[in-house]
Structures are given as structure tokens and as C-alpha cells.
Amino acid sequence: MLTRAKAQGLSQKELAARAGISEVGLSQAKARGDLRVSTLEALANALDMTIEFKPRHSRNATIAAIREGQFFGKRQRISPLAAY
């Protein structure tokens, strides 16, 4: 995002103003390397960008994992009578 802002000739102050956040807030977020999703969205909008969330695995691999019961991790089944 910062590369795109620089390519558009925007200073940090101008980017922050376009995104509706303070310059100090943007500076602190850069230093922390951590942003709220709402701040990330505001910055993306200011730069005419979108945010996309994509699965790490292919659709077929995800479907197979769901069918095999592996998608959410293994769960151990315990009989209700096992404690007695």
C-alpha cells in the first residue's frame, strides 16, 4: 500500500487524510506492523484498492478435508459412558 501511495505521489500525511485517520495513527500502525481491519479498509479505499480474503488451499482440497472430517482438526469422540 505504501508503494502505491508513493507511486500516486501521496505523502503519509495526505494518505492519512484521504483515509480519514490521523497521521500519528498511521505512523504508529506502520511502526507496530499491525492494523485494524477497518483502518486497512480505509487505506485501501483511499488508494482505490480492494482487500480480498482467499483460501490457502484449493477448493477441491478443502472439500476433501471437509468430507474426511479433517477441516476443523481431529476431534476425539468420547462415549458418555466412558467415565463410568
Side-chain angles (χ1 to χ4, degrees):
M1 290 183 133
L2 296 177
T3 302
R4 182 152 177 146
K6 286 180 184 178
Q8 291 182 12
L10 296 174
S11 68
Q12 182 171 309
K13 182 177 183 175
E14 292 167 324
L15 175 59
R18 279 191 185 187
I21 60 176
S22 72
E23 184 180 2
V24 171
L26 179 56
S27 179
Q28 289 173 342
K30 281 175 49 182
R32 282 190 320 266
D34 187 24
L35 295 171
R36 285 191 229 156
V37 173
S38 59
T39 302
L40 183 61
E41 183 179 31
L43 290 168
N45 288 336
L47 295 168
D48 196 29
M49 299 174 77
T50 61
I51 301 168
E52 294 182 14
F53 294 92
K54 296 182 179 183
R56 290 185 186 152
H57 306 289
S58 73
R59 183 176 188 274
N60 292 338
T62 301
I63 290 169
I66 291 168
R67 288 185 178 149
E68 295 169 9
Q70 301 298 315
F71 189 74
F72 296 105
K74 292 185 178 182
R75 290 186 180 173
Q76 185 178 12
R77 290 188 178 187
I78 300 173
S79 168
L81 301 175
Y84 295 101

